[in-house]
Amino acid sequence: MRKVISGAMPPGLAAAIAMALAVGLVATPASAASAVGDPAHAAVTHDGETPADWAEVDDSVAAPARTLTADLDANDKARVVTVKDVDGAPVITAANVKGRTQATAVVEQQQAIDGAVAVAVQQKQRLVAGHPMRTSQTGRNVSSDPYSESQWALRTLEAGPSWSLADGSGQTVAVIDTGVSREPDLAKNLLVGWDVIRGRSDGRDDQNGHGTHVAGVIAAASNNGIGGAGLAPRAKVLPVRALDAAGKGYWSDVANGLVYAVNQGAGVINLSIGGDTDDPSLRAAVNYALASGRVVVAAVGNEGTGALTYPAAYPGVIGVAATDRSDRVADFSNSGSAVDLAAPGVAIMSTVPGGFASYSGTSMATPFVSATAALLRSAAVARGLGRVDVLRALQASAVDVD
């Protein structure tokens, strides 16, 4: 059984926000209502426990170097990644290597560095897997935007009533993905961000389309006569490009993206990505974000199995499965212990480079939860209330689905 963040059955998203305002908040005074100045930055996970210490030295620092390089052949290209604790914050560096012999030598060097928290050997891998679908779906309009009729998920989530309580104002959601294209429907809400791959400012470049689609689900502008609307239409999106045009990348780039997002003050971090490896640099970055009071939301994967997908499987991360128009779990969606919530993820209309398209996947479900987190936080700040327990607030008004 999984929870769906709303739906066809009442009370819907507006009720979840109202309930959170009534009982789901810690009553501490709010600070200025800015993108980062709300009381949600508190060092607890969504299950109420203290997050794992990201700076605790991982077993990889003392492990035999050849154990860490065991999967490499003589000609394999890889990275040796080191996490260091520098003045209480993680610094993640990577050295490119070729073959097991060179990798083993570099691992031994990095393990001996003072302040090393973790050492990992990584190969580039595909971390996004979208399922493009082009569909024609109709229904009552949620906004005046031309694709509103195709946005069945906003109707299911009762977005209209929820916007009377909160619209995401003052909140920043980091999208760590393939980048985000500068689309007209995102222009008002898109920050500059960072390109981890190129090592420079500006994450507003997406040669894949995945990250742009995710960003539109979160914060496409509403009632502007363009495209559709995001669930949090006045939230800001911080684009962090960590994956290439093929949706491939290294966990170290994702980890650096997480650290960047935290340090830039993003209150919610969306990770519509996943892989089957538990990487110590990724784990350290996730724990750093959680310890900094950020809401971290991740896709559970599209294999239709119960296999664990990271980072969704990490404690404290809100793992998201996908549902269809009937509030049934999508046949491609993973299940199992990593799932905390389910959200619409089939035939989701959103922005892509140069236009709009309908995609399916847990990648599309995840930004609905991230956007809802932004709505909850926005509502709390506006009312001078305390930290939002996002998962508890949503599960309290959700329904069980098979």
Side-chain angles (χ1 to χ4, degrees):
M1 303 291 282
R2 278 150 286 183
K3 295 283 189 175
V4 58
I5 61 169
S6 82
M9 291 171 279
L13 184 55
I17 295 173
M19 184 178 297
L21 293 175
V23 301
L25 303 171
V26 177
T28 56
S31 57
S34 66
V36 299
D38 69 81
H41 296 339
V44 292
T45 64
H46 63 61
D47 54 14
E49 298 180 355
T50 302
D53 181 5
W54 72 266
E56 181 177 350
V57 177
D58 185 71
D59 291 343
S60 59
V61 175
R66 289 189 66 81
T67 299
L68 300 186
T69 62
D71 292 336
L72 297 182
D73 293 329
N75 295 314
D76 284 342
K77 294 180 180 180
R79 281 183 176 180
V80 175
V81 177
T82 308
V83 182
K84 293 178 286 187
D85 183 349
V86 178
D87 298 328
V91 173
I92 302 165
T93 58
N96 293 324
V97 295
K98 183 177 181 180
R100 187 180 184 190
T101 299
Q102 184 185 16
T104 300
V106 175
V107 167
E108 290 174 342
Q109 293 171 359
Q110 296 303 303
Q111 288 174 321
I113 291 177
D114 288 340
V117 172
V119 178
V121 177
Q122 301 175 0
Q123 292 180 277
K124 199 172 189 179
Q125 59 182 312
R126 183 173 177 83
L127 297 175
V128 301
H131 296 275
M133 296 175 58
R134 298 191 179 272
T135 60
S136 177
Q137 301 190 30
T138 60
R140 71 182 188 278
N141 288 349
V142 178
S143 68
S144 63
D145 301 308
Y147 283 107
S148 179
E149 288 188 357
S150 298
Q151 293 192 290
W152 69 268
L154 294 185
R155 294 188 294 276
T156 294
L157 295 173
E158 300 181 10
S162 75
W163 290 338
S164 67
L165 297 173
D167 56 14
S169 295
Q171 295 300 308
T172 298
V173 181
V175 173
I176 302 176
D177 212 293
T178 58
V180 178
S181 179
R182 306 186 205 193
E183 298 305 308
D185 214 11
L186 293 169
K188 290 177 61 176
N189 296 330
L190 188 60
L191 303 176
V192 174
W194 185 258
D195 189 326
V196 182
I197 297 173
R198 296 188 177 109
R200 68 188 190 194
S201 179
D202 206 338
R204 297 172 298 177
D205 178 26
D206 184 8
Q207 301 301 314
N208 177 283
H210 189 272
T212 303
H213 197 277
V214 168
V217 172
I218 296 169
S222 63
N223 297 311
N224 64 347
I226 303 172
L231 182 55
R234 291 196 176 180
K236 299 299 184 184
V237 169
L238 181 70
V240 182
R241 181 174 177 262
L243 305 180
D244 65 16
K248 295 181 178 181
Y250 294 93
W251 279 136
S252 58
D253 286 342
V254 174
N256 269 317
L258 274 156
V259 173
Y260 168 81
V262 171
N263 294 343
Q264 290 296 305
V268 182
I269 300 174
N270 188 95
L271 294 160
S272 289
I273 61 178
D276 59 5
T277 55
D278 173 10
D279 179 82
S281 69
L282 176 67
R283 190 184 333 121
V286 166
N287 287 333
Y288 175 67
L290 294 171
S292 300
R294 274 46 177 187
V295 179
V296 182
V297 188
V300 300
N302 302 328
E303 292 75 35
T305 70
L308 291 180
T309 298
Y310 298 92
Y314 290 132
V317 176
I318 299 177
V320 184
T323 55
D324 62 18
R325 289 180 64 133
S326 300
D327 275 349
R328 292 189 297 262
V329 176
D331 57 4
F332 57 77
S333 180
N334 281 3
S335 57
S337 60
V339 177
D340 295 299
L341 291 167
V346 175
I348 303 302
M349 179 66 71
S350 185
T351 49
V352 294
F356 303 88
S358 179
Y359 288 178
S360 296
T362 57
S363 285
M364 284 64 251
T366 301
F368 282 116
V369 176
S370 294
T372 302
L375 293 178
L376 288 166
R377 292 163 59 94
S378 177
V381 172
R383 291 158 179 80
L385 299 174
R387 181 187 60 83
V388 183
D389 187 332
V390 172
L391 184 64
R392 183 161 70 99
L394 293 179
Q395 288 186 330
S397 61
V399 295
D400 284 323
V401 293
D402 293 318

